[in-house]
């Protein structure tokens, strides 16, 4: 029964991807706003998770903020569907980037970079932007079925990004041995090694695999994200980290400092529908 529903979701996604190119944006926005309202009304478990997150981040929550998180997620899903059908000229012209010189300068240290982010904002636009600038890049995703991975690779890979599963260590290591940008989100635990780290004065389960790996590779890091604005996308290169002898604790502190700062600034764009807190 589970496989049946999983197949149904996959086929529905493929249909949405194929047909989204023919549907005007205002129609998709209307459809996904209605979908957000329905999801908000029926999914009590995720509603409670968002409420819990907002109370930890802001000290309070209300239905407006909870619903706004659901709506932002669904509207960002449009970027996901349409990413295959947008050309690089359109993507580059729609994105304004703050502090891009930080990424350029940090990349030149070793002609490679680890770009850290979170489940926040328009991740699809960020990946496409990096590819459209000509950087070779790879993104690590949670362990999913091969059919889903192939579908996501056909979508996210349309501009050049390659997706790998988090347990495909050999492929990740091969990539790190060459030039390019490795994109990683580490705010949600989906398996593998982790630590409970303090953020917002609470303990949260944070994946640490990339930081342990980088103790060996010593690659510069930046923290970055993209947020959808009214008429454009805002990309922010928030900060960079480089140490000739990086330690797990210092890399984690760098990540958590920037993660907390960003979530405080955009709490309803943080798409974390889980309970990874102590």
């Amino acid at each position: 029964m589970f496989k049946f529903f999983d197949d149904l979701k996959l086929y529905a996604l493929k249909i949405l991807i194929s047909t989204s190119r023919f549907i005007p944006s205002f129609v998709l926005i209307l459809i996904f706003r209605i979908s957000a309202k329905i999801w908000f009304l029926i999914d009590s478990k995720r509603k409670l998770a968002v409420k819990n997150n907002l109370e930890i981040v802001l000290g309070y929550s209300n239905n407006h903020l909870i619903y706004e998180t659901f709506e932002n997620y669904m509207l960002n899903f449009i970027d996901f569907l349409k990413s295959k059908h947008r050309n690089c000229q359109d993507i580059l012209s729609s994105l304004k980037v703050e502090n891009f010189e930080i990424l350029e300068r940090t990349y030149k240290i070793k002609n490679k970079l680890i770009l850290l982010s979170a489940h926040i904002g328009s991740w699809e636009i960020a990946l496409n932007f990096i590819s459209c600038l000509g950087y070779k890049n790879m993104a690590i995703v949670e362990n999913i079925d091969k059919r889903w991975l192939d579908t996501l690779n056909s979508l996210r890979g349309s501009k050049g990004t390659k997706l790998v599963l988090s347990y495909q260590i050999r492929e990740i290591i091969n990539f790190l041995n060459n030039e390019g940008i490795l994109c990683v989100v580490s705010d949600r635990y989906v398996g593998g090694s982790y630590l409970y780290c303090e953020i917002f004065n609470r303990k949260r389960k944070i994946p640490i695999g990339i930081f342990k790996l980088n103790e060996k590779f010593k690659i510069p890091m930046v923290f970055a994200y993209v947020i959808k604005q009214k008429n454009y996308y805002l990309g922010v290169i928030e900060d960079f980290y480089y140490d000739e002898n990086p330690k797990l604790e210092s890399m984690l502190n760098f990540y958590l400092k920037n993660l907390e700062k960003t979530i405080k600034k955009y709490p309803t764009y943080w798409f974390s529908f889980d309970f990874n807190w102590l």
Side-chain angles (χ1 to χ4, degrees):
M1 182 62 73
F2 175 79
K3 187 178 184 305
F4 171 77
F5 284 112
D6 192 55
D7 289 342
L8 194 63
K9 286 193 295 183
L10 182 59
Y11 294 142
L13 176 62
K14 289 181 176 181
I15 291 170
L16 279 171
I17 292 169
S18 299
T19 58
S20 64
R21 68 186 305 174
F22 306 111
I23 304 174
S25 292
F26 77 90
V27 175
L28 283 173
I29 290 171
L30 178 62
I31 291 171
F32 279 91
R33 277 186 169 149
I34 293 170
S35 301
K37 288 182 180 179
I38 295 171
W39 184 26
F40 173 77
L41 290 172
I42 66 174
D43 196 338
S44 57
K45 181 179 178 180
R46 286 183 174 82
K47 191 189 301 183
L48 184 60
V50 173
K51 179 178 184 294
N52 183 56
N53 288 339
L54 287 169
E55 289 176 352
I56 290 172
V57 172
L58 299 175
Y60 67 93
S61 70
N62 54 49
N63 278 338
H64 172 74
L65 290 172
I66 298 170
Y67 171 69
E68 190 175 304
T69 305
F70 278 74
E71 184 179 68
N72 286 336
Y73 178 88
M74 293 304 288
L75 292 179
N76 276 326
F77 192 66
I78 298 172
D79 295 330
F80 172 76
L81 295 176
K82 281 187 166 289
S83 60
K84 189 175 183 178
H85 312 305
R86 301 182 69 181
N87 60 47
C88 280
Q89 183 179 356
D90 177 33
I91 292 167
L92 294 175
S93 64
S94 67
L95 182 63
K96 299 178 182 179
V97 183
E98 293 182 357
N99 307 321
F100 185 68
E101 68 279 359
I102 291 178
L103 185 145
E104 291 181 305
R105 187 170 64 247
T106 309
Y107 182 85
K108 288 178 181 177
I109 295 173
K110 289 194 171 183
N111 288 326
K112 60 182 72 175
L113 186 69
I114 295 173
L115 191 154
L116 298 170
S117 193
H119 292 86
I120 188 166
S122 303
W123 187 239
E124 309 304 324
I125 298 296
L127 290 176
N128 287 339
F129 176 74
I130 293 168
S131 295
C132 287
L133 287 175
Y135 289 102
K136 181 182 178 183
N137 71 96
M138 175 185 281
I140 300 175
V141 298
E142 62 187 271
N143 299 332
I144 53 177
D145 184 273
K146 185 180 183 301
R147 298 169 307 148
W148 283 92
L149 182 65
D150 290 344
T151 300
L152 293 180
N153 258 319
S154 71
L155 193 67
R156 291 171 171 167
S158 62
K159 303 296 180 292
T161 301
K162 181 181 180 181
L163 303 185
V164 294
L165 303 176
S166 59
Y167 69 80
Q168 294 178 301
I169 303 299
R170 181 173 294 179
E171 286 199 49
I172 296 170
I173 289 175
N174 286 340
F175 185 85
L176 292 175
N177 278 321
N178 295 283
E179 296 182 3
I181 297 178
L182 180 67
C183 305
V184 188
V185 294
S186 292
D187 61 315
R188 188 176 73 195
Y189 177 71
V190 292
S193 56
Y194 70 91
L195 287 174
Y196 272 106
C197 302
E198 187 167 314
I199 179 172
F200 300 110
N201 298 314
R202 289 283 298 272
K203 294 286 187 179
R204 180 173 176 82
K205 193 183 289 187
I206 298 291
I208 59 170
I210 189 60
F211 305 113
K212 290 173 67 177
L213 200 59
N214 203 39
E215 284 186 308
K216 172 185 176 181
F217 283 90
K218 311 179 192 313
I219 296 172
M221 296 177 158
V222 298
F223 185 94
Y225 58 91
V226 173
I227 296 292
K228 188 177 181 65
Q229 305 292 295
K230 187 174 182 180
N231 297 312
Y232 66 97
Y233 298 91
L234 174 65
V236 180
I237 313 299
E238 191 66 58
D239 199 0
F240 76 98
Y241 173 96
Y242 179 63
D243 191 322
E244 292 183 356
N245 188 29
K247 299 298 183 184
L248 175 63
E249 183 179 0
S250 63
M251 287 184 283
L252 263 175
N253 287 340
F254 164 79
Y255 179 69
L256 294 171
K257 176 190 71 174
N258 285 285
L259 178 64
E260 184 169 316
K261 177 181 177 181
T262 303
I263 294 172
K264 278 183 179 178
K265 196 171 183 179
Y266 299 105
T268 63
Y269 281 90
W270 186 36
F271 307 130
S272 180
F273 302 95
D274 58 36
F275 293 91
N276 283 333
W277 301 94
L278 279 181

